[in-house]
Amino acid sequence: MAQVTITINSREYAVACEDGQELRIIQLANILDEKAKMLTGGSQQINESMLLAMVGLVLADELSELKKGNQPQVVQNISPEQIKETDESLAKQINSLNNSLILLASQLNLL
C-alpha cells in the first residue's frame, strides 16, 4: 500500500492508497485545495471542520447539478473583508432583533 502527502488549504495530510493511485489522489486533492482556496479567498483563518463542510457542499451541489444535466454555478471568490462586513452587518441585525425582543417581552410582562 502506497502513501502520498497531499496539501489542502496549506495543511499537509498523509493519505494511504493503493499502489499506482498516488497521482489520482494528488489530482483529487488539488481539486479540493482549489475549492478551499476559492471559499476562503486564500485566507487560512477558517475553522478546518467548517471548511470541510463548505467544500463538501460545493462539490455536492456541483455533482447534483451535473446529474440533472445542468452546468454547476461557479461560486465567486469572496474576500475575507466581504465576509467580515457581512458578519458585522448580521451581528448588528441580530443585536437589533434581540433588543426588540427584549422590549416586546418587557411590554408583555406589563400586561
Side-chain angles (χ1 to χ4, degrees):
M1 180 154 290
Q3 184 169 350
V4 63
T5 300
I6 61 172
T7 303
I8 300 171
N9 200 35
S10 300
R11 295 204 54 183
E12 291 187 349
Y13 301 90
V15 178
C17 63
E18 293 182 19
D19 290 332
Q21 293 297 312
E22 298 90 348
L23 182 59
R24 182 67 178 148
I25 297 298
I26 291 170
Q27 291 171 334
L28 294 171
N30 287 339
I31 293 169
L32 293 176
D33 188 44
E34 179 182 311
K35 298 295 181 190
K37 287 178 181 173
M38 176 185 64
L39 289 167
T40 63
S43 170
Q44 298 172 14
Q45 307 219 357
I46 187 167
N47 177 298
E48 193 171 328
S49 297
M50 178 61 81
L51 180 60
L52 172 64
M54 291 168 47
V55 168
L57 288 170
V58 167
L59 291 174
D61 180 53
E62 288 179 7
L63 179 61
S64 175
E65 291 300 313
L66 287 172
K67 284 183 177 181
K68 291 179 193 174
N70 301 329
Q71 289 294 325
Q73 292 182 352
V74 176
V75 177
Q76 296 178 358
N77 283 342
I78 301 172
S79 72
E81 292 80 23
Q82 289 172 312
I83 293 172
K84 184 178 179 186
E85 289 172 11
T86 301
D87 187 48
E88 289 172 355
S89 175
L90 288 172
K92 287 178 185 176
Q93 292 174 13
I94 290 170
N95 191 35
S96 175
L97 181 58
N98 183 52
N99 290 337
S100 296
L101 288 172
I102 290 170
L103 179 61
L104 179 61
S106 69
Q107 290 174 347
L108 288 173
N109 284 335
L110 294 175
L111 295 177

